[in-house]
Amino acid sequence: MNTPSAVLTRADGTPVRVLVVDDEPDLAEVVTGALRYEGWDVRAAASADAAVREARAFRPDAVVLDIMLPDRDGLSVLRDLRAEQPHVCVLFLTARDAVEDRITGITAGGDDYVTKPFSLGELVARLRGLLRRAGMTRERATDSLLVVGDLELDEDAHEVTRGGDLIDLSPTEFQLLRCLMRHARQVLSKTQLLDLVWSYDFGGGAHVVELYISYLRKKIDSGRAPMIHTVRGAGYVLKPAPQ
Amino acid sequence: MNTPSAVLTRADGTPVRVLVVDDEPDLAEVVTGALRYEGWDVRAAASADAAVREARAFRPDAVVLDIMLPDRDGLSVLRDLRAEQPHVCVLFLTARDAVEDRITGITAGGDDYVTKPFSLGELVARLRGLLRRAGMTRERATDSLLVVGDLELDEDAHEVTRGGDLIDLSPTEFQLLRCLMRHARQVLSKTQLLDLVWSYDFGGGAHVVELYISYLRKKIDSGRAPMIHTVRGAGYVLKPAPQ
DNA sequence: GCGACCTCTGAGCCGGCTCTGAGCCGCACC
DNA sequence: GGTGCGGCTCAGAGCCGGCTCAGAGGTCGC
């Protein structure tokens, strides 16, 4: 789905390395798959000890780390990781109701976290942001900007403009648009959008996607040449409006 | 039946390898036949355990996997397959009403699924898409574009143009044209088209094919040199119009 | 505790798509 | 030239996919 040029790479041109640490096999599988699909080099570990061992051998650029592990606390794993690789980026996975004060200290150090249940698109975007800000990749700071035609989306500032006009979007609308923009000129099925934008435990059907597409159209396309197109029986595409 | 140049091959030039996993012998037979017709190297397995065993020996590039297997769940099979071959592509087969649960998130990982009853052309197209995007073949990313004369069909964007003019097609028209273009300069019988474009449980006769050919002609050939030709008693061919 | 916003469900509507049937045309073989 | 078959096209019925609206429930901030 990504064109090769869009793959985030390290300074030396090899794919970014990510270690996924989670003890739930299904979740680990889905996350691993999504990151691999980004073109990254991914390995998985199911416990804290395995994570430390794997990190030593694999030397990842980033670690996706579940805070609730069977054997040890995530924060102690962080200390172990940092002891050997001070510059590794860490993205924590945490339950919503879990204490946030422990985490807030972390984010000050440049790391980030997402709360369960999360969406895969969000996870990938956060990870990309971490890596980019850590200067670990070939992308420049300005590459937080997605551009399709006269439509611009700034992933860092969470800002969207069309033809220079600022457009206010809700969180879900923003994620949906980001997803469409990252795959511009390419039909995405409702299921794909559901899998990327909505959290993995979402029980509902693809109807929500239609609904949010209609919201987006109102905010982005209304009164202008449409950019969001329906492909009946297939899904939706975002394309620059022809002049 | 394909011209050799059209056969999708791995990087080393050997045919793509596909493992078909389904416990219904009839369906497995049909699918296996269709994939062999593409020039691919196909093997079959009738259970999850057999699939994992076969995959170990056969080392397929892609797996067509029925989600409803007698012995095990589809997602757990996926895990087992990925554990040994992290980059194998998986196309799930699933009943229409059984979608939604159990396989959420898989399209975000680059895998895909088709719902029963499906058409063989659809199955093949999805599989080709998976393999192409996984970079497992000689084709480049740009090869989502089919070109015959001044007629172009972009499988990713679901876009068709003739002489630069955008042509709007319904889902069935699109599939039919894709099928004709993939077998350009080659007579396809109405039965073949029926088998490829319509789902395998379609009850009607070949008359629909005539009907849809006439729709296509109106949209593609009208006012220009015709590209779709009738071969009386044999079927239809798509050829570049002579200048 | 209240209000604003966001998210999702359900229902209804509309349009277009798909397929059936019938009639017509023309080629081909008597 | 007649007849029959294969193919083409039109018209219409039914259905399905997608869009929108209205409203319930939840969350967050004040």
Side-chain angles (χ1 to χ4, degrees), chain B residues 92-156:
Chain B
F92 285 98
L93 305 182
T94 162
R96 165 151 317 223
D97 47 0
V99 202
E100 318 297 347
D101 30 274
R102 214 47 286 190
I103 57 165
T104 46
I106 63 140
T107 68
D111 294 323
D112 204 355
Y113 70 95
V114 292
T115 55
K116 295 184 193 179
F118 50 85
S119 78
L120 293 172
E122 182 71 13
L123 182 91
V124 169
R126 294 285 187 90
L127 214 37
R128 291 181 69 93
L130 280 184
L131 289 162
R132 181 163 37 77
R133 284 190 293 268
M136 215 159 252
T137 66
R138 279 188 172 172
E139 289 191 2
R140 311 288 236 77
T142 54
D143 289 348
S144 70
L145 199 66
L146 288 170
V147 181
V148 178
D150 62 346
L151 185 65
E152 296 189 3
L153 182 147
D154 186 324
E155 300 205 62
D156 278 350

Side-chain angles (χ1 to χ4, degrees), chain A residues 1 26 187 191-192 195 239, chain B residues 79 105 107 113 133 156 159:
Chain A
M1 185 113 355
D26 282 1
V187 176
T191 318
Q192 279 178 301
D195 282 352
K239 284 188 282 194
Chain B
R79 255 204 319 272
T107 68
Y113 70 95
R133 284 190 293 268
D156 278 350
E159 231 176 53

Side-chain angles (χ1 to χ4, degrees), chain B residues 188-195 198 206-207 209-210 234-236:
Chain B
L188 293 170
S189 72
K190 288 182 213 171
T191 323
Q192 276 178 305
L193 291 169
L194 206 56
D195 286 347
W198 275 263
H207 177 52
V209 181
E210 298 167 15
Y236 301 94

Side-chain angles (χ1 to χ4, degrees), chain A residues 159-180:
Chain A
E159 230 176 55
V160 176
T161 59
R162 173 146 189 208
D165 302 335
L166 196 62
I167 295 170
D168 189 47
L169 298 181
S170 80
T172 308
E173 289 163 0
F174 181 83
Q175 274 210 73
L176 180 58
L177 182 61
R178 172 170 59 193
C179 191
L180 288 170

